[in-house]
Amino acid sequence: MNASKGIASLLRAAPKAARKTNPRLRCVPLPSSPRRALHNASTRAAQAAAVPASEPALPDVPLSSNPQLAFPCLDSVEERTQRLNKRSMSGPEPSYTSGATESFHSDEPILLDWGGVLPAFDIAYETWGTLNADKSNAILLHTGLSASSHAHSTAANPKPGWWERFIGPGGPLDTDKYFVICTNVLGGCYGSTGPASRDPLSKQHYATSFPILTMHDMVRAQFRLLDSMGIDKLYASVGSSMGGMQSLAVGVLEKERVSRIVSVSGCARSHPYSIAMRHTQRQVLMADPAWTQTRGNYYNSLPPHQGMKLARQIATITYRSGPEWEKRFGRQRADSSRPPALCPDFLIETYLDHAGEKWCLEYDANSLLYVSKAMDLFDLGKGLQDATAQRRRENAGKLQGATTQQSSQDTCNLSLPDQPYQETEASAEILAGTRDSGVATDQLSEDLIKGMAPLRDIPTLVMGVASDILFPAFQQREIAETLRKAGNRRVTHVELGEDRSLFGHDTFLLDLEGVGGEIHRFLG
């Protein structure tokens, strides 16, 4: 049947009233159609409201053997999109904030590891406790990917912080003894310079003209803050998750300026599984039309909140553990008296949906892209460190022209490979520890041993959690074993089994006794 005959056939089959009132074949269901009864929702009210006036509304579904499923989850997202669309017409996206902070401003440009330059930058920070006379009791606390500097409540911001129970008199970070400093990382969006900040040259938001960052760049910016405070040496560098990576980077970059290192649920180099999960989050986020159509320059229009919501849901899956969710949710449905739906139905689905919705507009999408990429690039191996040092020497001249327009040679020239990746290894070869490059696992470890040699004389606490799937416990064992092979005789390695913690990667936020207790003992 050709197209014209098919259309004619459909016209003959359609009710006359429908043909008369709707020449575009938008079939009208019978009044008794039960297609929305599943959730007692109104007929496409949200969908119709969310569609721009210039586009036709979604077509109604004709009478069929079974009722059309309702999609309240999509209706909710579309309603929110419409509200955001109306808001964006009256002004730019509001700034991301976690409350009052202190701010350090540097007018001195900073050269980044991959050749980018920031002519000036700000670092938001908060402090607790009192810095002693010789400034020897300072602890630098590093955050996870999406955390702000608000680790504990302050007089200016009494809202509980993300490590509220861990900081304070008598706590793991005892403010009767220590002066605790926590920053929002360079590239973040809670007061520190990041993609949402304005470029001093263009006066516009950096957006995706912001340069690629590394963990080491973030640490360099933090030490500019310490320099301004007159702190020559830290009592300790403490961090969990991404902060655990930064804490180790402190020992590599500034071994003479730190007396102790604590790394919880971190790694010495990013591994494929973690990179893959963060890549998936970025791809979902960048597929949001609000991001794709602007290539990340969305600050005066609609933010990519749908992509951010989905990215956060993926992240949440990696933050918690199967055992905990088995106990909390099991296979329980939100309402077992109703038929199953394609929208969130099981309790675990409703939890993920809520987690994504709650967070999707609290953190800048571009900061998520840049900071998560910095995590992927993290590798303390000697080979990468040497290559980075050489690149920094070659790019040092850029600091002289930091306030002028960059040349066209700085434009990103990355291209996708002509041929997709092809699997060439047999399972037996993989199990034997070989790579298609011919480099054996023990040789890769030797590179890491050389790279972590600067930490040889620094007492280090390394903690892992057996239920962590994002930074599995073998990665913390790798840190401890590598440090010992590098000659460090003061390595304390603790691994919390599932009998002590079921909270997966988020254990560092929740387990005051296990994580907090070990930190307290280590710091003395």
Side-chain angles (χ1 to χ4, degrees):
M1 181 185 296
N2 60 33
S4 59
K5 289 183 179 179
I7 293 173
S9 176
L10 287 171
L11 282 168
R12 286 194 297 273
K16 292 182 179 180
R19 295 203 304 269
K20 181 178 179 181
T21 59
N22 196 343
R24 293 190 179 185
L25 293 179
R26 198 164 293 141
C27 299
V28 179
L30 296 177
S32 60
S33 173
R35 62 191 177 90
R36 289 261 166 181
L38 182 62
H39 292 273
N40 297 321
S42 59
T43 304
R44 296 196 184 278
Q47 292 175 345
V51 175
S54 60
E55 298 181 10
L58 293 173
D60 287 314
V61 179
L63 186 65
S64 63
S65 301
N66 297 285
Q68 169 75 16
L69 289 177
F71 292 93
C73 53
L74 299 184
D75 295 342
S76 175
V77 170
E78 289 167 348
E79 286 174 349
R80 189 168 191 180
T81 299
Q82 183 66 7
R83 292 196 300 271
L84 290 171
N85 195 42
K86 290 178 179 178
R87 185 206 71 197
S88 67
M89 295 176 183
S90 61
E93 183 178 358
S95 61
Y96 303 92
T97 179
S98 61
T101 67
E102 297 182 74
S103 183
F104 162 71
H105 177 77
S106 175
D107 280 322
E108 182 183 349
I110 184 169
L111 174 66
L112 306 180
D113 280 346
W114 281 95
V117 175
L118 295 176
F121 65 91
D122 296 314
I123 294 294
Y125 70 98
E126 296 173 56
T127 65
W128 305 268
T130 303
L131 187 62
N132 59 16
D134 62 0
K135 300 183 179 182
S136 62
N137 68 333
I139 291 178
L140 180 59
L141 175 61
H142 308 273
T143 74
L145 184 154
S146 58
S148 70
S149 60
H150 193 61
H152 188 274
S153 54
T154 64
N157 183 2
K159 180 181 178 180
W162 55 267
W163 239 26
E164 186 74 19
R165 298 184 302 155
F166 289 72
I167 302 171
L173 300 189
D174 189 345
T175 51
D176 286 338
K177 295 181 179 180
Y178 310 122
F179 179 65
V180 182
I181 309 163
C182 184
T183 78
N184 178 219
V185 297
L186 190 68
C189 57
Y190 294 123
S192 295
T193 296
S197 305
R198 293 189 181 272
D199 183 339
L201 187 63
S202 69
K203 310 303 181 186
Q204 302 298 314
H205 295 282
Y206 276 108
T208 48
S209 69
F210 197 78
I212 291 293
L213 286 166
T214 68
M215 294 289 111
H216 293 68
D217 292 327
M218 297 173 185
V219 168
R220 288 188 185 92
Q222 289 172 325
F223 270 82
R224 291 272 188 96
L225 167 64
L226 296 180
D227 290 342
S228 73
M229 293 178 165
I231 298 173
D232 295 325
K233 189 167 186 175
L234 291 168
Y235 181 83
S237 172
V238 178
S240 303
S241 186
M242 184 183 82
M245 303 158 82
Q246 289 176 288
S247 195
L248 293 173
V250 166
V252 170
L253 279 177
E254 300 285 356
K255 65 178 182 178
E256 303 298 333
R257 297 187 65 178
V258 59
S259 298
R260 295 163 186 80
I261 288 174
V262 176
S263 179
V264 181
S265 297
C267 63
R269 52 183 175 176
S270 284
H271 289 259
Y273 173 81
S274 301
I275 294 172
M277 293 305 298
R278 289 188 288 265
H279 163 77
T280 304
Q281 294 172 52
R282 290 193 296 269
Q283 291 294 294
V284 165
L285 194 165
M286 293 165 67
D288 187 309
W291 197 96
T292 299
Q293 292 171 8
T294 64
R295 289 300 192 266
N297 291 275
Y298 51 77
Y299 292 101
N300 294 306
S301 58
L302 191 68
H305 80 282
Q306 295 187 46
M308 281 290 279
K309 177 179 178 178
L310 293 173
R312 184 62 172 186
Q313 289 185 28
I314 295 170
T316 302
I317 293 170
T318 70
Y319 294 156
R320 295 298 178 93
S321 72
E324 182 213 357
W325 283 357
E326 194 69 38
K327 291 180 178 294
R328 287 180 62 187
F329 304 112
R331 288 186 44 78
Q332 187 176 351
R333 294 178 58 214
D335 188 347
S336 59
S337 67
R338 295 178 182 269
L342 297 179
C343 278
D345 182 19
F346 284 90
L347 276 186
I348 181 61
E349 294 177 312
T350 63
Y351 167 75
L352 290 174
D353 184 73
H354 171 74
E357 193 67 51
K358 178 177 180 292
W359 186 80
C360 64
L361 292 173
E362 295 179 359
Y363 193 78
D364 180 39
N366 283 333
S367 281
L368 176 59
L369 296 177
Y370 277 85
V371 177
S372 70
K373 189 66 177 182
M375 294 178 72
D376 292 352
L377 295 171
F378 184 67
D379 182 354
L380 292 179
K382 188 65 162 60
L384 180 59
Q385 288 188 48
D386 289 346
T388 300
Q390 176 62 29
R391 190 166 54 249
R392 291 183 63 83
R393 286 191 292 269
E394 294 171 353
N395 289 319
K398 291 183 178 181
L399 288 172
Q400 305 303 317
T403 58
T404 61
Q405 183 70 43
Q406 294 294 307
S407 65
S408 59
Q409 68 181 12
D410 294 319
T411 302
C412 177
N413 58 5
L414 178 68
S415 60
L416 296 177
D418 294 332
Q419 297 295 327
Y421 173 78
Q422 298 291 331
E423 293 188 16
T424 59
E425 299 165 296
S427 298
E429 292 174 328
I430 295 175
L431 290 174
T434 59
R435 309 287 175 93
D436 58 0
S437 63
V439 181
T441 303
D442 59 349
Q443 290 175 302
L444 291 173
S445 298
E446 186 64 30
D447 177 62
L448 197 59
I449 292 168
K450 292 178 180 178
M452 296 183 71
L455 286 76
R456 181 185 297 113
D457 300 318
I458 305 174
T460 304
L461 170 64
V462 181
M463 290 193 67
V465 180
S467 58
D468 190 342
I469 63 172
L470 183 59
F471 286 78
F474 81 83
Q475 296 184 12
Q476 292 82 56
R477 290 195 292 271
E478 179 182 61
I479 297 172
E481 292 168 5
T482 300
L483 286 174
R484 287 170 181 150
K485 289 180 180 178
N488 192 323
R489 298 292 178 262
R490 291 179 289 178
V491 177
T492 303
H493 176 227
V494 178
E495 185 173 311
L496 300 179
E498 291 185 4
D499 58 324
R500 292 184 61 182
S501 180
L502 298 177
F503 299 114
H505 188 63
D506 273 358
T507 294
F508 77 88
L509 294 170
L510 304 170
D511 190 349
L512 181 62
E513 179 183 352
V515 175
E518 294 292 345
I519 293 174
H520 190 275
R521 282 187 286 275
F522 178 77
L523 294 178

